[in-house]
């Protein structure tokens, strides 16, 4: 096969990113401009501020991705960009940059689903083996996705309320911890040897769905009750109690699904898959089970454009193309591209 070089662009939330990937599996360059600092004082992502940052950064990150790769636009085969889901104003900046770049350089354009991107971050580390089960856990998503082959996605479970990362960020806020709270709660949980006992939400016995809003409320109630009684709340114990509950439920449901669907590989993806407690729990569980388990290195777990370029390459090879009418799709569903 001829070498394929795909430029990926990602701007769905609070990172502006561009990356060049070779053959869908090798990172040539990977540039991420994070806006986290600008959103911290608001305790979350402010869409208007995000869009403004993307406008300022998008051309720079694309130029930087080309410079780091020591490549010119004519060396590329296509441009892949996050089409959705995400903040519409933020998505549109990346999409318009991608359209302009593709048009100016005569390159095909490919719209990529953000979650397909997170899943395909794994293709940058080792070949994906099918049938495969992906646990996708991010600020906006908590999903179990079954894949029988490349480009085939079957949603077997999802959150009915908050996403796992959203629950992390909300609990962090209750504990007066800065946005994004996930990494802080993770660190605090590891510093604690005691845990407050919070509920595990299993839903119906055979369900692969998740629910985290009750757990979040349990943390809030625990804090209020303690405060009313004048008992001091130890944030480390709360962090560990919360994390133990999230990790136990995510691990158990992923294991049950992996067994039922008889998969050859289990992967984790999305910002929360950077969580040390979750990684350890999944690694141990699947080592015992004898099913290969993979999770990308931390910087490929959170939002980046290499994952978009990787997914875009597999779409490119499957003949998928978008046209210049592409629009930001904030509620885009993950549909299979497999023919
Ligand atoms: O995938 P991502 O970068 O953006 C979305 O697509 O949402 O995920 C961001 C989410 C945030 O909620 C953040 O708190 C969470 O991932 N996160 C973590 C950790 N690192 C990032 N949650 C738990 N533990 C971590 N170590
Ligand atoms: Zn993401």
């Amino acid at each position: 096969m001829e070498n394929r070089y795909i430029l990926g662009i990602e701007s769905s939330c609070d990172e502006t990113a561009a990356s060049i990937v070779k053959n869908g599996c090798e990172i040539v360059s990977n540039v991420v401009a994070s806006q986290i600092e600008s959103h911290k004082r608001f305790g979350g992502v402010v869409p208007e501020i995000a869009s403004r940052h993307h406008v300022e950064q998008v051309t720079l990150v694309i130029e930087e991705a080309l410079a780091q790769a020591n490549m010119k636009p004519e060396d590329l085969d296509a441009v892949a960009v996050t089409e959705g889901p995400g903040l519409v104003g933020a998505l549109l900046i990346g999409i318009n940059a991608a359209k302009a770049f593709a048009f100016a350089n005569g390159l095909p354009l490919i719209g990529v689903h953000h979650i397909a991107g997170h899943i395909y971050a794994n293709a940058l580390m080792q070949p994906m083996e099918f049938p495969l089960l992906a646990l996708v856990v991010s600020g906006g998503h908590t999903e179990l996705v079954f894949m029988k082959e490349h480009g085939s996605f079957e949603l077997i479970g999802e959150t009915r309320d908050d996403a796992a990362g959203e629950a992390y960020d909300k609990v962090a806020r209750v504990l007066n911890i800065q946005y994004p709270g996930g990494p802080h709660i993770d660190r605090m949980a590891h510093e604690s040897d005691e845990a407050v006992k919070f509920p595990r939400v299993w839903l119906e016995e055979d369900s692969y769905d998740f629910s985290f809003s009750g757990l979040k409320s349990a943390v809030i109630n625990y804090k209020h009750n303690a405060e009313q009684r004048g008992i001091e709340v130890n944030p480390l114990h709360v962090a560990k109690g919360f994390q133990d509950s999230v990790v136990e439920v995510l691990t158990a449901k992923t294991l049950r699904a992996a067994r039922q669907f008889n998969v050859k590989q289990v992967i984790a993806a999305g910002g929360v898959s950077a969580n040390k407690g979750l990684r350890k729990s999944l690694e141990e569980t699947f080592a015992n089970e004898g099913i290969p388990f993979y999770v990308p290195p931390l910087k490929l777990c959170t939002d980046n454009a290499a994952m978009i370029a990787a997914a875009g390459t597999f779409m490119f090879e499957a003949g998928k193309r978008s046209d210049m009418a592409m629009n930001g799709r904030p509620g885009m569903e993950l549909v299979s591209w497999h023919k």
Side-chain angles (χ1 to χ4, degrees), residues 48-107:
E48 267 309 307
I49 295 179
S51 302
R52 245 174 281 161
H53 275 282
H54 287 310
V55 169
E56 284 166 14
Q57 294 295 325
V58 73
T59 316
L60 298 175
V61 295
I62 294 171
E63 279 171 4
E64 184 62 19
L66 283 163
Q68 283 185 13
N70 202 9
M71 289 176 78
K72 294 195 252 352
E74 52 267 37
D75 301 325
L76 298 168
D77 293 283
V79 183
V81 63
T82 307
E83 185 175 359
L87 303 167
V88 70
L91 288 165
L92 280 172
I93 315 292
I95 290 171
N96 283 311
K99 281 185 191 174
F101 190 94
F103 182 72
N105 297 293
L107 294 168

Side-chain angles (χ1 to χ4, degrees), residues 147-160:
M147 294 179 71
K148 62 180 188 307
E149 56 204 307
H150 275 298
S152 157
F153 306 99
E154 191 189 327
L155 189 64
I156 60 169
E158 65 187 320
T159 183
R160 295 190 186 165

Side-chain angles (χ1 to χ4, degrees), residues 15 114 118 138-140 165-166 168-169 180-183 186 270-272 274-276 301-303:
E15 333 276 354
H114 184 76
H118 274 301
S138 74
E166 192 181 348
Y168 264 94
D169 296 336
D186 191 11
V272 182
N275 186 275
K276 289 203 290 292
C301 288
T302 47
D303 289 348

